[in-house]
Amino acid sequence: MARPLAVLACLAGLLTLCACGVPRQKIPVSTDPLGATVYADGEKTCASTPCSVSLDRKSDHLLTIVKDGYEQEEVVLHRRFQPDKALRDGVISGMILGGGPEGVASRTAKEVDEQERSGEAYVLEPSIVTIKLTPKGAGN
């Protein structure tokens, strides 16, 4: 019986470790042609595509993609709530810590609330950005 308790203790520790810091998501960015610069929320995050940008999931973000001789492109990354993940993690946490059905429900609600505040309950979309750049003056 000691072995399952050790496993549960490890799982509880992992849940605690995962809750630290601001959750981030890597977004791959590619362009045609290659070699564009990517700015996230006005700050340079990638000198030459293809690349990945790491962004916090607490809010929406604006990617600005620029390359000499081409029109500037902008992509908004929206955060989307993941109710299944938040509820699953809350139920697991409540079951590990025990306390009967009331304890599980209480811990689930608390876990969902914490994940919403930290950004962990969200995912950024689109999860991959692929842009075909337009040469300047091509639309005129």
Side-chain angles (χ1 to χ4, degrees):
M1 189 73 167
R3 189 171 202 80
L5 289 177
V7 170
L8 288 176
C10 287
L11 285 174
L14 286 174
L15 284 173
T16 302
L17 285 174
C18 292
C20 297
V22 176
R24 300 186 74 75
Q25 181 176 338
K26 280 192 170 193
I27 306 289
V29 180
S30 64
T31 59
D32 178 14
L34 304 175
T37 303
V38 180
Y39 295 84
D41 304 320
E43 294 195 27
K44 187 176 181 178
T45 57
C46 171
S48 182
T49 56
C51 61
S52 290
V53 295
S54 180
L55 302 167
D56 73 70
R57 298 186 316 209
K58 289 182 76 166
S59 61
D60 294 347
H61 298 277
L62 176 66
L63 294 184
T64 305
I65 301 163
V66 297
K67 182 172 176 71
D68 286 341
Y70 292 86
E71 299 291 334
Q72 175 177 303
E73 298 287 340
E74 293 185 340
V75 177
V76 177
L77 300 173
H78 296 281
R79 69 181 190 149
R80 182 180 57 83
F81 183 62
Q82 304 177 90
D84 295 348
K85 179 195 179 307
L87 289 172
R88 181 196 67 226
D89 291 353
V91 169
I92 290 170
S93 175
M95 290 173 62
I96 289 172
L97 298 174
E102 297 83 14
V104 171
S106 173
R107 286 189 180 89
T108 298
K110 182 179 178 189
E111 181 74 21
V112 169
D113 184 56
E114 288 175 7
Q115 286 188 26
E116 283 188 76
R117 268 190 264 117
S118 74
E120 191 175 341
Y122 296 91
V123 65
L124 296 173
E125 292 182 338
S127 60
I128 298 172
V129 174
T130 304
I131 299 287
K132 181 164 178 57
L133 298 172
T134 304
K136 285 188 178 176
N140 294 337

